[in-house]
Amino acid sequence: MAPGWGGTLLVGLLHSLEIAIGATCLGLLIGTAGAFGKLYGGPVTRDLLAVYTTVVRAVPELVLILLLYYAGTDLINQVLAAMGYSRVDISGLAAGIFVLGFVQGAYSTEVIRGAILAIPQGQIEAARAYGMPPGLMLRRITLPAMLPFAIPGLANLWLIATKDTALLAVVGFFELTLATRQAAGVTKAYLIFYLAAGVLYLAVTLFSNLVIGRVEARSRRGMPSVKEAR
Amino acid sequence: MSEATAINVAARASLWLKPHRIVLILIALGLALCAIFFMRWDWLPQYWAMGLMGIWRALWILAVTCALGFALAVPLGLAQAGGPIWFSAPAKVFCTIIRGTPLLLQLWLLYYGLGSIFPQYPWIRESWLWPYLRQAWPYGVVALTFSFAGYEGEVMRGAFAGVPRGQLEAARAFGMSRWKIFRRIWLPQAFYRALPTLTGETVLQLKSTPLVATISVIDIFAVSSKVRQDTYLTYEPLLLLALIYMTITGILVFVFSRIEARIPVKIG
């Protein structure tokens, strides 16, 4: 055991962070698209998105992870088989990112939708009056103006994502919680390893909080303070 | 029937029965019928009783942990909102740790970690608690209670701090004792403020209950896992499980909205 069990835990942490980052990015993409669909899409798009966000937020993450994990890998393999390719083993990393990203997407849809609605309507009308095409308006006006409203909710989602990676231990993906379980099972030092893993998760959360505070302060510069407004 | 109400009813009906929505509902019905007729459900009668037992147990865990967790959240919030530093600091540390680590890890820490420590002490094995400590469910209940208390404690902190000063000052001017102020003024008003978040927290707690299946408590999630192992079916038990959770969530949201509607909106 060259790196020792501490190294195993750190590898697990690395995998957890990879999944959390990937899932948050995928969730942001889905969330942005979903928010625009909900706000500006046609009636069918809107209804389908409402079903998506409602169902994902009403079913436990653990159940969704199992369903999407099996359904997702099954679907890809069936599509590949139908196209005449042989079955592939989906990497745990890709499957985990897809599954958690799909769940995160539902939550970020709601966060981003709320943030876009919080933009003063005049700004968007002014952009339209200048004759901006929708893409340019999205890039120059909507996204930057919504950011201060969205960051607290999105930061919360990032923290949830780091903790939700632990659920992937149940489908056998090697991340921090599963690494801890293996280390503890072999060495029989259960308490120490679980406490160590707890400290690692906590460190990620506290460090994230620090960064989030900075980012939030920067994105809010020039805006009235929330405390004074109360 | 007057013309206005007729228009009202028609408007409400047309909200639901727009053409595209009728098509979507028909598609959904078709999918559901496909699921009923083309998937295998013959295992259902055999596991029916077990499933009901599992639902009952999940609801029971949900109710107990929410009640205990809320009882714990009140002192946690109070300590953080107005307590001296030697109360507020531990409460803050508790909330930060609970909210900063995954529930699954906390659960396993309690069950495997503490569970492996307890048998080493003879006085614990001889105490009256030992028959409970040997089972899994007390660890699940404790972990879920702490989790609810940690999240709701943070909410209660804000709720206690949000009660207007004037209310408390008026109560003091009336000559109420500190306990009476807390019981009659501070707690009820903080509770009304926290009530809207309570719905969300309870739904989140419901979604956390399947985690106890990982420490061998037989709730509805564990039943579905058993069905999957016994019958080698992947989707049917999981889809039914998702439907069950969605139904429970719907009922919870409905019940809470009824409770909220009874509470006066204007406070403070």
Side-chain angles (χ1 to χ4, degrees), chain B residues 56-77:
Chain B
W56 177 246
R57 196 164 287 165
L59 289 178
W60 195 228
I61 291 175
L62 175 70
V64 168
T65 55
C66 282
L68 289 178
F70 189 76
L72 200 58
V74 169
L76 279 172

Side-chain angles (χ1 to χ4, degrees), chain A residues 36 39-40 116 120-138 141-142:
Chain A
F36 276 89
L39 287 172
Y40 306 117
I116 292 177
Q121 205 53 42
Q123 295 190 7
I124 292 175
E125 278 165 14
R128 282 218 187 100
Y130 268 103
M132 273 195 195
L136 190 65
M137 192 172 85
L138 172 74
I141 312 290
T142 314

